[in-house]
Each structure stands twice: as C-alpha cells, then as structure tokens.
Amino acid sequence: MILDKKDIEETHYEVLNVKEDANYEEIRASYRSAALSLHPDKLLKTSETSNSNQTTSERFLKVHKAWEILSDSTTRLFYDKELKSSRREDFLSSEVAEDLSLQDMTVEDAGEILELFYQCRCGDYYAVDSLELQKIGYSLSRDGNNVSISILNVDTLPGSVILPCGSCSLKARLVLSMDNS
C-alpha cells in the first residue's frame, strides 16, 4: 500500500510543495530544491541543535519518499487513486450523521405517495417520498404496517440515498437493501 494513514495529514504533493496536476519536471525541480536544503550532509555544516536536526532529517525522509512515489508514473497513478478514494471516504463519512433502514423511518400515506420521515437530533426531519425514490429506480409499497422496497430497473442496484435535514447541516444515509421489507 502506497498511501499510509499518516500520509493523509500531508500528501506527497504538499511535502514537495507542488500542485496535484504538476508535471514531472515541476515535481523534480521541487524535489531537488527540498533535498538540497534538507540533506543530512548539509546539516553537519550548520550549528543547529540536535532536536532541529532530527526534525529536518525526518522532513528529508518525507521529501525522499514523496519523490520515490511521484517520480514514477505507475506508482503516482496508484497513489492518486488511493488519495482520491480516501478523500471521498472522509467526505462521505463526515457528511453522514446516521445510517437508516426502512424500519427506522416513519411512514405517512399521502394518497398515492408514501412519505418517509426520521427525526434529526436538531428536532427537524430527514425526509424522502416514494416519487423521489421512483426517479432513481426504486418502488415503495405498503401492506398494512409493513413498507417494502423493490427495484424498478434491472440496471438499478441496492444502494443508499443521502437525506438532508430540513433545518441543520446534518445528513442521514437511507440504506435501500432489498431485505428491508
């Protein structure tokens, strides 16, 4: 694995002080500049404290590791994919306050439409109706107290829907699995 959890704090691009779309020459120039200023041999000639030398040595190792990964097009591509994936996971997990199932939702029958509600911790509600779900390929039906979901299109897979709260910035994920009936 190229991407370490510690690397997310500071990406290899940030270590080398280049943009993520930087070309090879830009990355190389930044690496050379950083490596020359942080090289351990250069530190022997300065009168810095040993604590500072250790920090600078750690920084040099980070710069070298970033160069090893970003200088090779294959490892860079793999790193970019992992970085993008980790950012997406962080974004999704930070956005969602709760995971819900159909059983968690309160159902109201509004004529031909079923409305699903779940109370947010702020007091307002997450809500979705059967028409909105139908637009993305799901059908809701009610038999007494039981609500079931079915897939309308063969192309639609079990998934989830992000529901925003009506008042605050929290969101909930309604998991649409076919065993929720």
Side-chain angles (χ1 to χ4, degrees):
M1 181 169 127
I2 292 176
L3 185 61
D4 196 5
K5 290 291 183 199
K6 294 178 279 183
D7 293 335
I8 296 172
E9 296 170 10
E10 185 178 33
T11 69
H12 292 318
Y13 295 102
E14 292 167 339
V15 168
L16 293 178
N17 198 26
V18 294
K19 295 181 180 178
E20 290 186 19
D21 63 351
N23 64 34
Y24 177 83
E25 289 304 318
E26 292 169 324
I27 293 170
R28 183 175 172 264
S30 183
Y31 164 71
R32 288 178 54 85
S33 173
L36 287 173
S37 68
L38 297 170
H39 197 278
D41 289 345
K42 185 171 184 168
L43 296 177
L44 294 176
K45 297 176 185 175
T46 64
S47 60
E48 297 176 6
T49 64
S50 61
N51 219 10
S52 178
N53 282 344
Q54 184 179 6
T55 304
T56 306
S57 295
E58 290 171 3
R59 187 78 184 150
F60 176 78
L61 292 174
K62 280 185 172 185
V63 165
H64 186 68
K65 182 178 180 183
W67 168 248
E68 284 180 338
I69 291 178
L70 299 180
S71 65
D72 180 82
S73 60
T74 305
T75 56
R76 181 179 178 183
L77 182 64
F78 187 69
Y79 175 77
D80 288 345
K81 285 181 182 178
E82 285 186 341
L83 188 61
K84 185 177 179 181
S85 174
S86 71
R87 286 178 177 160
R88 183 174 179 268
E89 289 171 8
D90 289 345
F91 172 76
L92 289 176
S93 64
S94 67
E95 285 287 310
V96 176
E98 298 184 60
D99 283 329
L100 308 172
S101 68
L102 282 178
Q103 289 85 11
D104 297 325
M105 306 293 285
T106 302
V107 181
E108 289 186 10
D109 202 341
E112 295 182 23
I113 300 172
L114 292 176
E115 295 179 335
L116 304 173
F117 299 96
Y118 185 83
Q119 189 168 15
C120 177
R121 57 183 120 160
C122 76
D124 204 346
Y125 290 89
Y126 303 109
V128 66
D129 64 44
S130 56
L131 290 178
E132 292 172 299
L133 292 174
Q134 191 172 12
K135 288 178 185 175
I136 59 172
Y138 299 97
S139 174
L140 284 180
S141 58
R142 185 174 191 171
D143 182 23
N145 289 334
N146 294 331
V147 175
S148 62
I149 191 164
S150 58
I151 296 176
L152 294 174
N153 306 332
V154 290
D155 296 337
T156 305
L157 297 173
S160 62
V161 178
I162 305 295
L163 305 174
C165 174
S167 295
C168 71
S169 63
L170 295 176
K171 295 179 175 91
R173 179 185 300 118
L174 174 59
V175 179
L176 302 169
S177 63
M178 298 308 110
D179 59 348
N180 275 346
S181 30

